[in-house]
Amino acid sequence: EVQLVESGGGLVKPGGSLRLSCAASGFTFSNAWMSWVRQAPGKGLEWVGRIKTKTNGGATDYAAPVKGRFTISRDDSKNTLYLQMNSLKTEDTAVYYCGLGDAFDIWGQGTMVTVSS
Amino acid sequence: DIQMTQSPSSLSASVGDRVTITCRASQGVRKYLAWFQQKPGKAPKSLIYDASSLHSGVPSKFSGSGSGTDFTLTISSLQPEDFATYYCQQYSSYPFTFGGGTKVEIK
């Protein structure tokens, strides 16, 4: 069964950092482009960024609100995707989802990140 | 950035109704348009990719059409489990963007 499981969410103060993980199973992770999306409480979906495969140079793209603060990486040996979030702001409060591919063929269950003092 | 505009933002419909949701892109996205369904407190579920291709396991009552700037999602006969919020997303050019959502409620 194809599955994505996020972890690492929690409460963090403004200016702090957090790293989210997304464990993948049921497919060849190293061949997959992977994405992150977030959803603020009561709001719609917002694309965060995407990472290509190592064979495509592992290139990343980011949405403007997170560029320079967030970093997407991957460890193909562990079938795991990461989202390193630095300089967090209150407006980063959201449920963060990882997804398979640019079109989000498969979604994880999400992990909540709360940025508050 | 490409803006995705969904209409209506909400609708009320009865079981058995045919429902159509529209998604318009501010510039052409070719066929690179996906549709998702989200129920309260749950992760979104993928319904359609490449504008009209149904994901495996998605009932055939869902269908998508369009290309370029205008797209539609149609539910042929609304069932109780279909009451949810639906989102479109373009993945033609970065940054990828979502529509604001269409909430389908019970009349």
Side-chain angles (χ1 to χ4, degrees):
Chain A
E1 178 192 7
V2 177
Q3 194 172 12
L4 298 172
V5 179
E6 300 95 336
S7 61
L11 175 64
V12 61
K13 288 182 167 50
S17 298
L18 207 58
R19 188 179 81 158
L20 306 183
S21 300
C22 170
S25 59
F27 64 99
T28 305
F29 180 75
S30 59
N31 291 345
W33 294 19
M34 299 295 296
S35 302
W36 288 97
V37 155
R38 66 184 181 182
Q39 187 171 36
K43 302 296 185 182
L45 301 169
E46 180 185 20
W47 184 77
V48 171
R50 189 270 294 122
I51 186 167
K52 295 183 179 180
T53 59
K54 289 286 197 313
T55 55
N56 289 108
T60 52
D61 286 277
Y62 300 95
V66 308
K67 196 168 186 177
R69 300 188 298 123
F70 289 13
T71 301
I72 299 173
S73 62
R74 63 192 301 155
D75 186 336
D76 292 344
S77 69
K78 296 182 178 179
N79 289 345
T80 301
L81 174 73
Y82 300 102
L83 179 65
Q84 177 67 44
M85 304 184 293
N86 298 331
S87 303
L88 281 161
K89 305 175 181 180
T90 55
E91 53 263 41
D92 295 319
T93 294
V95 176
Y96 285 74
Y97 297 99
C98 62
L100 171 58
D102 285 349
F104 281 82
D105 297 343
I106 298 292
W107 294 70
Q109 86 288 353
T111 187
M112 181 71 204
V113 172
T114 302
V115 184
S116 174
S117 55
Chain B
D1 297 3
I2 298 176
Q3 306 303 315
M4 305 301 293
T5 303
Q6 281 184 239
S7 60
S9 57
S10 66
L11 64 91
S12 294
S14 300
V15 172
D17 283 354
R18 179 183 180 90
V19 168
T20 298
I21 299 168
T22 296
C23 181
R24 175 164 289 174
S26 60
Q27 54 188 275
V29 299
R30 298 171 286 173
K31 66 174 182 178
Y32 300 113
L33 192 286
W35 289 98
F36 308 102
Q37 175 195 66
Q38 187 178 34
K39 297 181 180 179
K42 300 293 187 183
K45 174 187 172 183
S46 298
L47 299 176
I48 287 169
Y49 65 99
D50 289 353
S52 60
S53 297
L54 219 58
H55 276 288
S56 174
V58 174
S60 59
K61 62 182 171 181
F62 292 97
S63 63
S65 65
S67 67
T69 60
D70 294 303
F71 301 86
T72 59
L73 172 70
T74 299
I75 309 172
S76 60
S77 177
L78 204 64
Q79 297 303 304
E81 64 269 20
D82 302 329
F83 292 95
T85 300
Y86 294 83
Y87 295 93
C88 62
Q89 179 220 359
Q90 68 82 17
Y91 51 100
S92 174
S93 62
Y94 299 109
F96 297 160
T97 43
F98 288 86
T102 296
K103 187 173 184 179
V104 177
E105 299 176 300
I106 301 173
K107 182 182 284 184

